């Protein structure tokens, strides 16, 4: 090696390359857990101060934290874990991120190349195991490929429909010396070039359908949030220009403000009556960045039977997957909406849909989110409402676990901005919310970050309280504690003859003591009258808080479209008598 | 009792199944075949036959030919799912082009003596199959052609002492001057 070469700043070990590449991609925080196969990388992290590493207590926590980080910033979340169990513990967050289109770059250590396939200590086939739960993955066997693969990884994770990627780096490659090159334009993956711009013919057709609509609806999804702030701005402008009613999926909440006058609330299995009826009876449906998931459509052959459907999606495989659409437009939401607005403003005028709005008003009047007030017990819906009132107008981010509390949060917490709502939609991962809140708080140090949790879910990743304490992340874990796996119990009650098989948590920890054991703050509220004061106190505390909110234990989440029923067969809370419920759910036991 | 439909249990649409031949151009990187096969098994699609080989060594491009069956909606979904995979350049539905040539190679081993042996040779000639190995009591024939022709040949060989068959699966290309 010549004198000049040894001083070449781009000559470095694989481990140094990884740290350098992360910095070059603008990464400020990474979430991880060390182990034998990533020690060289941890050694590099130790010797620099541009990247801050957040040490979690379980790799799954790192993954969900990175998801929360990504979802709240629009930037990719980065995770570093070791081989074997480190990698397998990441499988749940990777699958979660794939379902919800969250950009994650996960770097896993691997045993040295000469040991691969030998059943070495802490070896597993990481690329094999993670292949179906990543957008793409790589095993880097040669230091010469490392810089290119790292740059490709960021490109693939963030372009097109975002998603998680894994770069598996054997330990000898981390030690090997090679030449680094900074990201350059050619580091895009040559076979992966997603279509961003919509087909102008389809756009024109869509505009004429919109302009001719008598009973239109806009159905927007997580793709709008993923596309970015411009997409959300354009969505709001489109609603303004057309005056169409708009509903959204769970993942899309916040793209259009909940206080907007055209807002119908969320749609789907636990969506509002007005949103689902509007979907069912519309004549033109504009689906933007959503994927006709089974939780949205209900019974597919009775889904919005008389409408023409326009579907904007960057992923061609979302088109015609569950529901046949009339005008597919493949492209990025911001790009396509921009074109639709330009054409609409130039060539169309807003249709008269006054009768349609009158119809919507009658549906709204059903007040489908009503619940029975109670002066003795805290109703879970009431708890969310009070939390919302106490935090609206503040700089607040909400995460959730999965279950009844998640649906109540979606129904009763009003989101005004995108990127403020982090929830596990597709995979439905209990234990998502606490670590996700960590990730959000890392990105937004001074904001109020609340995990609306259930007592069962939160125990799945409770260990991350230690992380919150260590990094002084004052996350608020607002537990709607009904002492059941509420959604499981609800389904058992509705579909399985009220045989509550293993859905009651017999040995509930004392959450107050638990919080204190971790070095956080524990609070408990039992009476509705004490709720507001306690919430105010929780917000004031500058430490992680476990807030044990004891709620009515047998409350069910309504309205509800029973599995396998159509949008116009919703069960409203006021009508959910035992007989009506039994009839509505008859025969649905086998469905998910 | 009839079950109501849900997307998890999508009602069998009673559209008839179709057989389609797809050509898939992929970046020849490690694991690419596992990705394609994993897509089919993971999403419950059928593979009737699959062939793969590197076709442009310098560009590291491989070409996969897949014969699959499904309803038109499923076939479209298979194409879209393949197309969005990171190492996939392009997917062409040879069946939809209506101008594709499909060929398969099979090697067919027979054991026998006497009349059956003579008969097999005569049939082989009619099918333009070549003898590529012979012993006093056996032949190995090599035959190329479309799947139907090969199926037919194998059926004819069966009573004449068929021992085993190996087939490459279908390779397909479009007629005319254009490439994929």
């Amino acid at each position: 090696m010549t004198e000049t070469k040894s001083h070449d700043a781009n000559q470095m070990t694989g481990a140094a390359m990884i740290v350098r590449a992360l910095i070059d991609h603008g990464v400020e925080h990474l979430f991880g857990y060390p182990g034998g196969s990533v020690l060289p990388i941890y050694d590099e992290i130790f010797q620099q101060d541009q990247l801050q590493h957040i040490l979690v207590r379980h790799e799954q926590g790192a993954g969900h934290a990175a998801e929360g980080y990504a979802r709240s910033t629009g930037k990719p979340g980065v995770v570093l874990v070791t081989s074997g169990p480190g990698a397998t513990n990441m499988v749940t967050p990777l699958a979660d991120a794939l379902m919800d289109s969250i950009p994650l770059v996960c770097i896993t250590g691997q045993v040295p190349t000469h040991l691969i396939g030998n059943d070495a200590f802490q070896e597993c086939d990481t690329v094999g195991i993670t292949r179906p739960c990543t957008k793409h993955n790589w095993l880097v066997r040669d230091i010469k490929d490392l810089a290119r693969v790292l740059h490709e990884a960021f490109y693939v994770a963030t372009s097109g429909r975002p998603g998680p990627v894994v770069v598996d780096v054997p330990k000898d490659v981390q030690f090997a010396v090679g030449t680094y090159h900074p990201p350059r334009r050619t580091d895009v993956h040559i076979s992966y070039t997603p279509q961003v711009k919509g087909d102008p013919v389809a756009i024109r057709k869509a505009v004429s359908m919109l302009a001719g609509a008598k009973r239109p609806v806009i159905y927007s999804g997580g793709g709008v949030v993923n596309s970015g702030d411009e997409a959300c701005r354009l969505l709001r402008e489109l609603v303004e220009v057309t005056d169409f009613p708009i509903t959204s999926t769970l993942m899309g909440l916040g793209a259009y403000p909940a206080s907007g006058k055209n807002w119908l609330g969320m749609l789907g299995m636990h969506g509002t009556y007005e949103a689902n009826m509007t979907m069912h009876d519309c004549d033109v449906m504009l689906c933007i960045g959503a994927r006709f998931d089974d939780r949205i459509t209900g019974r597919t052959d009775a889904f919005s039977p008389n409408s023409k459907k326009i579907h904007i999606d960057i992923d061609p495989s979302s088109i015609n997957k569950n529901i046949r659409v009339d005008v597919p437009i493949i492209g990025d939401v911001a790009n396509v909406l921009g074109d639709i607005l330009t054409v609409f403003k130039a060539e169309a005028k807003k249709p008269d849909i006054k009768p349609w709005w009158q119809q919507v008003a009658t549906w709204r009047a059903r007040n489908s989110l009503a619940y029975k007030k109670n002066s003795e017990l805290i109703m879970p819906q009431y708890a969310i409402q009070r939390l919302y009132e106490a935090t609206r107008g503040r700089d607040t981010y909400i995460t959730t676990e999965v279950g009844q509390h998640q649906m109540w949060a979606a129904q009763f917490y009003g989101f005004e901005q995108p990127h403020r709502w982090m929830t596990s939609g597709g995979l439905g991962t209990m234990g998502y919310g606490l670590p996700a809140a960590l990730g959000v708080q890392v990105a937004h140090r001074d904001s109020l970050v609340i995990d609306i949790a259930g007592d069962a879910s939160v125990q799945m990743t409770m260990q991350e309280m230690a992380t919150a304490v260590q990094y002084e992340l004052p996350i608020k874990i607002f537990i709607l504690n009904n002492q059941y796996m509420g959604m499981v119990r609800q389904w058992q009650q509705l579909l399985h003859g009220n045989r509550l098989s293993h859905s009651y948590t017999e040995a509930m920890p004392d959450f107050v003591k638990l919080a204190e054991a971790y070095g956080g703050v524990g609070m408990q509220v039992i009476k509705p009258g004490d709720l507001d004061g306690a919430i105010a106190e929780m917000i004031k505390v500058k430490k992680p808080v476990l807030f044990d909110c004891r709620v009515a234990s047998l409350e069910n989440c309504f309205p509800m479209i029973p599995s396998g029923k159509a949008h116009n067969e919703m069960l409203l809370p006021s009508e959910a008598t035992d007989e009506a419920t039994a009839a509505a759910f008859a025969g649905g036991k086998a469905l998910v | 009792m009839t079950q109501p439909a849900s997307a998890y249990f999508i009602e069998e649409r009673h559209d008839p199944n179709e057989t389609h031949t797809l050509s898939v151009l992929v970046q020849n990187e490690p694991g690419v075949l596992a990705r394609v096969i994993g897509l089919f098994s993971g999403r419950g699609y059928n593979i009737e036959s699959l062939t793969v080989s590197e076709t442009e060594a310098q560009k590291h491009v491989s070409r996969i030919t897949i014969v699959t069956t499904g309803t038109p909606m499923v076939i479209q979904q298979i194409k879209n799912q393949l197309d969005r995979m990171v190492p996939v350049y392009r997917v062409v539905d040879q069946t939809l082009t209506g101008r594709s040539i499909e060929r398969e190679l099979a090697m067919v081993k027979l054991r026998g003596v006497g009349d059956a042996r003579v008969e097999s040779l005569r049939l082989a000639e009619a099918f333009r199959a070549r003898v590529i190995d012979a012993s006093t009591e056996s032949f190995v024939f090599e035959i190329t052609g479309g799947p139907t022709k090969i199926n037919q040949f194998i059926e004819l060989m069966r009573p004449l002492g068929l021992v085993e068959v190996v087939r490459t699966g279908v390779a397909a290309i479009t007629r005319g001057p254009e490439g994929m």
Side-chain angles (χ1 to χ4, degrees):
Chain A
M1 200 181 274
T2 64
E3 183 70 2
T4 49
K5 236 188 166 177
S6 65
H7 285 101
D8 184 345
N10 286 329
Q11 289 288 307
M12 60 183 84
T13 64
M17 248 181 228
I18 289 169
V19 171
R20 176 76 182 278
L22 296 184
I23 293 168
D24 283 354
H25 282 278
V27 177
E28 294 167 69
H29 302 96
L30 77 159
F31 302 87
Y33 203 100
S37 293
V38 283
L39 287 178
I41 307 172
Y42 272 88
D43 201 29
E44 290 295 331
I45 290 172
F46 188 84
Q47 298 174 56
Q48 56 82 50
D49 53 13
Q50 277 175 280
L51 272 181
Q52 198 201 344
H53 177 271
I54 311 292
L55 175 68
V56 294
R57 297 300 182 271
H58 184 289
E59 286 89 352
Q60 186 190 353
H64 294 318
E67 285 188 87
Y69 186 92
R71 189 100 185 136
S72 69
T73 59
K75 298 195 290 186
V78 182
V79 181
L80 174 61
V81 295
T82 194
S83 62
T88 55
N89 281 342
M90 264 303 291
V91 166
T92 299
L94 290 170
D96 191 275
L98 186 67
M99 283 286 244
D100 287 346
S101 308
I102 310 290
L104 286 192
V105 176
C106 173
I107 294 163
T108 53
Q110 181 55 277
V111 300
T113 45
H114 67 274
L115 286 180
I116 290 178
N118 279 14
D119 298 330
F121 177 65
Q122 292 196 329
E123 182 191 354
C124 71
D125 176 8
T126 302
V127 287
I129 290 169
T130 61
R131 195 174 287 131
C133 58
T134 53
K135 187 173 168 189
H136 198 59
N137 61 15
W138 295 261
L139 168 63
V140 184
R141 288 173 170 274
D142 188 335
I143 183 72
K144 287 206 287 290
D145 298 326
L146 183 59
R148 175 183 56 81
V149 168
L150 288 166
H151 301 325
E152 272 181 23
F154 276 89
Y155 166 76
V156 170
T158 54
S159 56
R161 179 174 178 179
V165 299
V166 165
V167 182
D168 196 26
V169 189
K171 198 170 182 182
D172 56 330
V173 176
Q174 297 171 29
F175 277 125
V177 174
T179 310
Y180 176 77
H181 65 82
R184 31 178 208 214
R185 207 179 280 262
T186 52
D187 288 316
V188 302
H189 199 285
I190 44 175
S191 56
Y192 185 67
T193 48
Q195 183 178 338
V196 175
K197 190 144 183 63
D199 169 23
V201 178
I203 285 171
R204 223 158 260 283
K205 208 165 155 193
V207 168
S208 79
M209 276 164 65
L210 295 174
K214 294 197 163 50
R215 304 187 307 278
V217 67
I218 296 174
Y219 147 45
S220 78
V224 182
V225 180
N226 272 336
S227 178
D229 291 342
E230 178 65 3
C232 298
R233 191 190 67 71
L234 289 166
L235 175 70
R236 292 165 184 217
E237 189 182 338
L238 182 71
V239 174
E240 173 101 35
V241 168
T242 58
D243 196 33
F244 287 176
I246 175 168
T247 178
S248 155
T249 66
L250 181 72
M251 295 306 294
L253 296 177
Y256 183 81
S259 61
K261 72 175 173 59
N262 295 41
W263 179 238
L264 301 174
M266 181 177 77
L267 83 161
M269 185 175 269
H270 293 290
T272 65
Y273 185 70
E274 54 269 36
N276 286 329
M277 289 304 287
T278 305
M279 289 287 282
H280 186 268
D281 284 5
C282 68
D283 68 345
V284 174
M285 178 187 299
L286 175 60
C287 168
I288 311 175
R291 57 187 177 89
F292 296 96
D293 171 79
D294 57 84
R295 283 294 180 273
I296 296 303
T297 59
R299 181 172 160 181
T300 46
D301 58 357
F303 173 74
S304 193
N306 301 314
S307 62
K308 294 273 182 208
K309 301 173 187 76
I310 305 162
H311 187 185
I312 304 170
D313 206 298
I314 199 157
D315 178 358
S317 73
S318 289
I319 309 269
N320 289 334
K321 182 170 65 180
N322 302 327
I323 299 292
R324 203 174 278 287
V325 298
D326 301 279
V327 182
I329 306 176
I330 295 161
D332 173 54
V333 168
N335 212 299
V336 174
L337 281 187
D339 289 350
I340 286 182
L341 270 164
T342 309
V343 177
F344 193 96
K345 284 194 252 181
E347 297 174 13
K349 68 182 205 323
K350 117 173 141 184
D352 175 20
I353 54 166
K354 240 185 241 129
W356 181 230
W357 271 116
Q358 282 161 3
Q359 174 63 62
V360 171
T362 65
W363 290 326
R364 273 182 171 157
R366 296 289 290 273
N367 194 15
S368 62
L369 296 180
Y371 59 93
K372 288 199 190 80
K373 304 275 189 296
N374 192 318
S375 57
E376 294 298 310
L377 295 169
I378 301 175
M379 296 304 283
Q381 301 94 326
Y382 177 76
I384 305 270
Q385 282 180 318
R386 297 319 300 162
L387 183 70
Y388 174 51
E389 290 305 327
T391 56
R392 69 192 297 184
R394 281 173 178 270
D395 177 17
T396 310
Y397 292 82
I398 301 289
T399 72
T400 73
E401 311 290 337
V402 169
Q404 287 183 322
H405 68 274
Q406 177 191 30
M407 291 299 110
W408 283 318
Q411 290 173 339
F412 289 93
Y413 200 99
F415 294 93
E416 297 297 308
Q417 296 296 331
H419 303 294
R420 298 282 170 161
W421 163 246
M422 273 54 62
T423 194
S424 172
L427 197 66
T429 309
M430 291 171 71
Y432 167 90
L434 198 164
L438 275 182
V440 175
Q441 190 83 74
V442 165
H444 309 275
R445 280 274 172 183
D446 302 322
S447 306
L448 177 61
V449 182
I450 303 172
D451 169 26
I452 297 177
D455 51 277
S457 284
V458 76
Q459 292 187 64
M460 286 203 177
T461 48
M462 181 55 84
Q463 76 284 347
E464 301 305 334
M465 268 298 280
T467 311
V469 171
Q470 177 177 343
Y471 293 95
E472 297 177 350
L473 302 167
I475 55 172
K476 311 291 187 272
I477 318 299
F478 190 80
I479 305 169
L480 296 184
N481 184 351
N482 60 5
Q483 313 204 30
Y484 279 102
M485 292 156 217
M487 196 60 97
V488 173
R489 184 198 45 70
Q490 175 168 344
W491 281 55
Q492 288 173 335
Q493 186 188 337
L494 299 177
L495 293 159
H496 293 269
N498 206 25
R499 290 180 293 280
L500 306 187
S501 181
H502 298 272
S503 53
Y504 179 68
T505 317
E506 303 235 357
M508 186 69 67
D510 179 332
F511 285 113
V512 175
K513 280 190 186 152
L514 188 57
E516 285 162 2
Y518 276 114
V521 173
M523 298 171 68
Q524 189 187 55
V525 179
I526 295 168
K527 291 264 169 274
D530 300 334
L531 187 58
D532 285 353
I535 289 174
E537 195 188 327
M538 173 189 84
I539 294 170
K540 228 185 293 161
V541 176
K542 294 289 172 242
K543 276 186 162 189
V545 178
L546 279 184
F547 189 106
D548 182 8
C549 184
R550 293 297 176 107
V551 297
S553 59
L554 293 177
E555 182 65 0
N556 281 340
C557 188
F558 285 113
M560 180 173 186
I561 305 177
S563 287
K565 300 280 175 167
H567 274 173
N568 58 350
E569 298 175 281
M570 277 204 104
L571 198 60
L572 296 180
S574 54
E575 298 161 354
T577 59
D578 288 350
E579 300 79 54
T581 309
F585 285 87
K589 202 191 287 191
L591 305 176
V592 187
Chain B
M1 185 167 56
T2 56
Q3 287 285 0
S6 147
Y8 273 109
F9 291 69
I10 285 185
E11 266 194 312
E12 290 283 328
R13 288 173 187 278
H14 296 292
D15 299 348
N17 273 356
E18 295 177 0
T19 301
H20 282 236
T21 306
L22 311 178
S23 294
V24 189
L25 223 50
V26 299
Q27 177 77 14
N28 186 16
E29 57 183 33
V32 66
L33 187 59
R35 266 177 227 289
V36 170
I37 293 170
L39 172 73
F40 277 75
S41 63
R43 293 186 184 264
Y45 306 143
N46 301 311
I47 299 181
E48 302 249 304
S49 102
L50 182 144
T51 67
V52 56
S53 182
E54 193 164 71
T55 48
E56 293 172 72
Q58 271 167 348
K59 289 198 222 155
H60 300 291
V61 169
S62 287
R63 182 156 165 161
I64 302 175
T65 310
I66 304 171
V67 181
T68 181
T69 56
T71 62
M73 201 156 159
V74 167
I75 299 275
Q76 186 58 47
Q77 187 57 209
I78 291 172
K79 289 186 276 186
N80 287 338
Q81 291 288 355
L82 283 168
D83 212 12
R84 76 168 180 157
M85 293 176 78
V86 170
V88 170
Y89 286 101
R90 223 135 77 74
V91 182
V92 170
D93 187 335
Q94 296 287 1
T95 307
L96 279 193
T97 66
R99 294 159 23 89
S100 76
I101 310 169
E102 298 185 3
R103 289 292 180 271
E104 195 179 354
L105 183 146
M107 291 188 274
V108 180
K109 183 181 285 184
L110 262 88
R111 182 176 203 151
V113 288
D115 287 351
R117 193 167 153 84
V118 178
E119 178 66 5
S120 70
L121 267 182
R122 266 185 353 102
L123 284 167
E125 202 177 354
F127 276 80
R128 290 189 217 155
R130 293 199 301 136
V131 176
I132 53 173
D133 180 69
S135 72
T136 53
E137 52 170 341
S138 71
F139 282 127
V140 174
F141 293 112
E142 174 199 304
I143 178 170
T144 58
T148 353
K149 173 182 163 188
I150 291 176
N151 288 344
Q152 212 182 347
F153 182 69
I154 291 168
E155 283 317 306
L156 288 170
M157 290 296 121
R158 204 174 292 285
L160 302 177
L162 184 74
V163 176
E164 61 176 349
V165 178
V166 57
R167 299 170 72 150
T168 57
V170 170
I173 200 163
T174 321
R175 293 177 193 275
E178 264 76 50
M180 103 172 247

